[in-house]
């Protein structure tokens, strides 16, 4: 989702506190699902109608507030919003189906509302990618996993292999040999670009499917910086 008319502007941003990578276990019994989900159309061929939590319809903020709510319980703006590049990735996934081999793991990194994971689930059901592909999600914020990611996946009947929250630096080297990383709008600062480069060099996933803006207004990241 690159747009050439956007300009990059430097910004002072609080450094992201390191949060241990923690598996998330759905409570038993699971919490009730939203009673008023909204329908969203994924740009697949043919299009797919999916259900999402109502907060998806909130206006996209004009800026990212990246200051942690507190040093002990960080929370960042953005995870409760579905960004444009999520739909760009969904539309591109069918043409990248060869990356998803039987039994591999598809990790939605910085998953947020998990549109990419739902799209992969739809493609599994259509036989576009193997049904044995294991879907995994990771987001920095536990609240996003609990309030957005998992409800959206449950609404769409997604069979999830694993869910985690915390710092992606917690991914070990052994994670990458059978992993395809899918990530959207995670390059919004130069620091995040550098973190991702270091992560991919260390973990060495078999492939990375990434989408983001060329520049982020008011921030110092973007696809151009990542390249």
């Amino acid at each position: 989702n690159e747009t050439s008319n956007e300009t990059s502007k430097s910004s002072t941003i609080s450094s992201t506190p390191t949060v241990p990578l923690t598996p998330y276990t759905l409570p038993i019994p699971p919490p009730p699902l939203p009673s008023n989900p909204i329908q969203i159309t994924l740009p697949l061929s043919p299009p797919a109608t999916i259900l999402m939590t109502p907060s998806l319809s909130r206006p996209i903020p004009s800026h990212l507030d990246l200051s942690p709510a507190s040093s002990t319980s960080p929370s960042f703006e953005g995870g409760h919003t579905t960004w444009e590049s999520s739909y760009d990735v969904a539309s591109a996934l069918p043409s990248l189906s060869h990356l998803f081999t039987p039994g591999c793991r598809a990790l939605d990194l910085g998953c947020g509302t998990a549109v990419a994971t739902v799209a992969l689930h739809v493609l599994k059901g259509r036989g576009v990618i193997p049904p044995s592909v294991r879907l995994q999600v990771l987001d920095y914020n536990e609240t996003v996993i609990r309030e957005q990611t998992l409800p959206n996946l449950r609404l769409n009947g997604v069979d999830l292999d694993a869910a985690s929250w915390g710092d992606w630096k917690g991914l070990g080297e052994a994670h990458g040999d059978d992993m395809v990383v899918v990530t959207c709008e995670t390059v919004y600062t130069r620091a995040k670009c550098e973190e991702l480069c270091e992560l991919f060099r260390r973990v060495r996933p078999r492939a990375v499917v990434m989408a983001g803006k060329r520049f982020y207004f008011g921030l110092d990241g973007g696809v151009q910086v990542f390249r």
Side-chain angles (χ1 to χ4, degrees):
N1 187 33
E2 298 184 9
T3 52
S4 59
N5 61 344
E6 292 178 298
T7 59
S8 177
K9 189 184 295 182
S10 62
S11 176
T12 301
I13 299 171
S14 303
S15 59
T16 304
T18 299
V19 177
L21 192 61
T22 306
Y24 186 88
T25 303
L26 191 67
I28 299 175
L33 289 171
S35 59
N36 56 338
I38 59 175
Q39 291 188 343
I40 297 295
T41 301
L42 289 183
L44 300 173
S45 182
T49 300
I50 65 173
L51 298 176
M52 303 291 277
T53 56
S55 59
L56 178 66
S57 61
R58 292 187 303 178
I60 294 176
S62 59
H63 69 285
L64 289 174
D65 178 9
L66 299 175
S67 300
S70 74
S71 60
T72 57
S73 179
S75 178
F76 291 85
E77 182 75 32
H80 292 272
T81 299
T82 297
W83 301 92
E84 300 96 322
S85 288
S86 298
Y87 299 108
D88 295 337
V89 160
S91 66
L93 285 174
S95 65
L96 301 172
S97 60
H98 61 282
L99 299 176
F100 301 92
T101 56
C104 79
R105 291 175 295 158
L107 174 64
D108 192 345
L109 186 66
C111 56
T113 58
V115 166
T117 299
V118 176
L120 287 168
H121 167 73
V122 172
L123 295 176
K124 286 175 64 173
R126 293 179 175 180
V128 177
I129 63 175
S132 59
V133 170
R134 294 173 289 163
L135 303 180
Q136 302 182 345
V137 294
L138 189 162
D139 197 272
Y140 185 78
N141 297 296
E142 181 189 14
T143 55
V144 171
I145 291 288
R146 185 178 68 248
E147 299 174 5
Q148 292 291 326
T149 309
L150 293 185
N152 289 338
L153 297 180
R154 290 173 60 206
L155 282 169
N156 293 281
V158 177
D159 183 13
L160 193 64
D161 180 65
S164 302
W165 65 276
D167 198 324
W168 54 38
K169 297 173 186 175
L171 289 173
E173 294 180 8
H175 284 72
D177 55 351
D178 66 342
M179 176 187 293
V180 177
V181 173
V182 180
T183 186
C184 308
E185 306 279 11
T186 51
V187 292
Y188 48 85
T189 68
R190 181 175 292 275
K192 290 298 179 187
C193 293
E194 293 171 353
E195 288 179 11
L196 282 171
C197 286
E198 175 59 29
L199 177 70
F200 296 151
R201 280 194 292 264
R202 179 169 54 82
V203 176
R204 295 186 177 276
R206 68 165 56 175
V208 176
V209 180
M210 172 185 286
K213 295 179 177 63
R214 186 176 301 173
F215 303 106
Y216 288 84
F217 182 77
L219 300 173
D220 58 358
V223 172
Q224 295 288 71
V225 174
F226 180 81
R227 287 173 175 166

